[in-house]
Amino acid sequence: MTSAPERPLTAMIDPAAGPPDCAAYERNGGWQATRRALGRLTPAEVIDMVTRSKLRGRGGAGFGTGQKWGFVPKEPATERRKYLIANADEMEPGTFKDRWLLEGNPLQLIEGMILAGYAVQAGHGIIFLRGEYSLACERLHRAIGEARQQGWLGGNILGSGFGFDIHVHSSAGRYICGEETALLTALEGRRATPRSKPPFPQTGGLWGAPSVVNNVETLCNLPHIIANGPEWFAGLGLGEDGGTKIYGVSGRVAKPGAWELPIGTPLRQIIEEHAGGMRPGYRLRALLPGGASTAFLDAAALDVAMDYGSVEKAGSRLGTGMAIILDDRTCPIGMIRNLEHFFAQESCGWCTPCRDGLPWVERLLDAIEDGTGQEEDMDQLDRHALMLGAPGRTFCAHAPGAMAPLSSGLKLFAADFAAHIRQHRCPQQSGA
């Protein structure tokens, strides 16, 4: 590769040709980051490069990747068992970015995991994969087998003394496994419930060993940072954050889908230029900017830059960067009820507020949408949004995430809630 691509994550993805094999991957610049890191860089230098690149976790939390790695004990992989886990359990409603990367170029993820493993000196890699991603699973197994055969996985990679291998674990299918400690508990063969912190996974994770859990998109950025430099990567972003981001739009737009764009691309540009705007006969009323567990933004917020700080200032979170559109012919209370049904169903049941509170919220919304809601139901919804949405009142972030669309919806759609209760019916039927 003579020059660094402007869209590095998707540069080698060709749906017609299928994912590249090791030879095609190397011809297009693959493996050069591994050669550089294992041949010329120390683990500390790799961490420093990733920190300077301004890469933040792409799974939703947005924590600095290099900073996260810095908490891992520094012993070499030969002296202490450590784990590097790719979180590919993509179950956030409206989110499908990692599937694109897994199916389109699995070798990119494998190289990213080698680099992350080397940085934190973890000799064992695990891909925790959503169970329904059967094509991704097939392609990952094929790519891992070829990489192992070619010497990119196994003991003493490139004669560096560093060994690393990868195992694919297909999830049984629970949303809570997106929470990193519940994921670790599931990998140990136990019920997927979150763990108390401390200890944090970086010091006491899988089977008590230091463990790092990173999102698929996060890891796929690493070969490009190491090959092209942190300054190049930081310069791809349009604001304070570095790199590109896979954004997506679902709902009644002309061209729903996903696109790799500079992080900080305005929301309006994503929706109007890339998603083609709203379908004829529909108007954008509001949206969830980063998946189901983010707060609603109304149409007045379309000019917000899609980066972590800007979306937070606008009153929501960047999350996964995959927007869900609410149009003017869809009942917002029905949409919120559908979301809360999902969150209630996916509660792990570990703590009382989440286990009992979310089904109660769902029942209240059922009543309001079906025409049997009462004025006092609104007080109960407000109370649940406050009690479940505040940090520290539940064991993990599942319930606070579930309350994001509810608490914002109670404010943004107050007139719709009042009309449902006053008219004893849903005054707005969903469009076709």
Side-chain angles (χ1 to χ4, degrees):
M1 183 160 30
T2 56
S3 61
E6 293 182 355
R7 305 289 184 268
L9 291 172
T10 56
M12 291 192 219
I13 295 180
D14 182 350
D21 60 14
C22 275
Y25 183 68
E26 188 162 14
R27 282 197 305 271
N28 288 279
W31 304 124
Q32 62 173 302
T34 300
R35 293 185 188 277
R36 182 182 184 189
L38 272 60
R40 307 206 310 264
L41 300 175
T42 65
E45 287 172 330
V46 173
I47 294 176
D48 179 65
M49 289 181 72
V50 173
T51 302
R52 289 190 287 119
S53 75
K54 301 181 181 179
L55 174 65
R56 296 175 65 172
R58 301 299 201 238
F63 197 76
T65 304
Q67 183 181 357
K68 184 175 187 176
W69 292 354
F71 296 122
V72 179
K74 300 297 189 287
E75 294 99 329
T78 54
E79 296 181 10
R80 185 170 185 179
R81 178 176 288 263
K82 303 178 200 175
Y83 295 95
L84 186 282
I85 298 114
N87 187 348
D89 192 44
E90 188 173 50
M91 290 191 65
E92 181 75 9
T95 298
F96 43 90
K97 63 184 182 67
D98 294 339
R99 180 180 179 181
W100 188 19
L101 297 171
L102 291 164
E103 294 179 356
N105 189 3
L107 287 171
Q108 180 176 234
L109 172 62
I110 291 168
E111 184 173 19
M113 292 182 70
I114 294 169
L115 294 166
Y118 177 69
V120 300
Q121 287 293 285
H124 306 273
I126 299 171
I127 300 172
F128 192 96
L129 181 67
R130 178 174 175 173
E132 294 83 356
Y133 281 7
S134 55
L135 180 59
C137 186
E138 174 191 326
R139 292 181 173 180
L140 280 167
H141 278 292
R142 187 187 310 142
I144 290 169
E146 186 185 11
R148 195 177 285 136
Q149 186 179 33
Q150 298 286 329
W152 297 107
L153 292 173
N156 195 24
I157 301 171
L158 298 177
S160 64
F162 174 71
F164 185 80
D165 211 343
I166 296 174
H167 169 76
V168 178
H169 172 88
S170 290
S171 167
R174 291 308 303 266
Y175 177 77
I176 194 62
C177 291
E179 199 279 335
E180 63 178 4
T181 63
L183 180 153
L184 296 174
T185 305
L187 276 176
E188 293 176 351
R190 297 184 285 129
R191 173 184 168 188
T193 54
R195 303 177 181 182
S196 59
K197 302 175 185 178
F200 291 90
Q202 293 94 319
T203 55
L206 186 62
W207 292 297
S211 307
V212 171
V213 181
N214 283 133
N215 171 258
V216 167
E217 186 184 355
T218 307
L219 292 164
C220 286
N221 279 293
L222 300 179
H224 310 290
I225 294 170
I226 303 304
N228 300 302
E231 292 78 16
W232 164 82
F233 186 84
L236 292 176
L238 301 181
E240 294 184 0
D241 301 320
T244 59
K245 177 78 185 75
I246 295 181
Y247 296 109
V249 179
S250 59
R252 290 191 171 104
V253 291
K255 297 183 294 182
W259 310 271
E260 183 185 3
L261 301 168
I263 193 166
T265 297
L267 184 55
R268 184 184 301 277
Q269 181 180 335
I270 297 170
I271 294 173
E272 295 183 356
E273 293 184 19
H274 298 280
M278 299 299 293
R279 283 166 45 186
Y282 294 92
R283 180 176 57 85
L284 188 150
R285 185 174 182 189
L287 59 94
L288 301 169
S293 58
T294 57
F296 279 102
L297 297 176
D298 64 16
L302 281 183
D303 291 315
V304 67
M306 285 287 279
D307 59 41
Y308 298 96
S310 300
V311 179
E312 186 174 349
K313 288 177 184 176
S316 188
R317 294 186 303 111
L318 179 62
T320 63
M322 308 292 283
I324 304 172
I325 303 295
L326 170 67
D327 63 82
D328 62 332
R329 290 167 58 181
T330 296
C331 175
I333 285 75
M335 179 177 177
I336 296 171
R337 177 180 70 169
N338 188 41
L339 293 172
E340 298 307 326
H341 167 72
F342 171 82
F343 287 121
Q345 179 178 270
E346 290 297 329
S347 172
C348 76
W350 188 241
C351 61
T352 303
C354 186
R355 181 188 63 239
D356 295 342
L358 292 182
W360 195 354
V361 167
E362 183 189 1
R363 288 194 295 271
L364 291 169
L365 291 169
D366 281 341
I368 293 171
E369 178 69 0
D370 295 341
T372 58
Q374 305 295 320
E375 290 286 348
E376 53 266 30
D377 292 343
M378 297 302 297
D379 294 331
Q380 290 291 347
L381 287 175
D382 282 329
R383 179 173 175 80
H384 276 78
L386 175 65
M387 298 302 291
L388 294 178
R393 291 178 174 171
T394 56
F395 206 75
C396 76
H398 179 79
M403 291 300 99
L406 176 64
S407 59
S408 57
L410 288 171
K411 299 181 181 76
L412 200 56
F413 310 122
D416 297 85
F417 277 101
H420 276 69
I421 293 172
R422 185 175 62 252
Q423 298 178 29
H424 300 290
R425 66 183 181 88
C426 175
Q428 180 181 23
Q429 299 300 322
S430 297

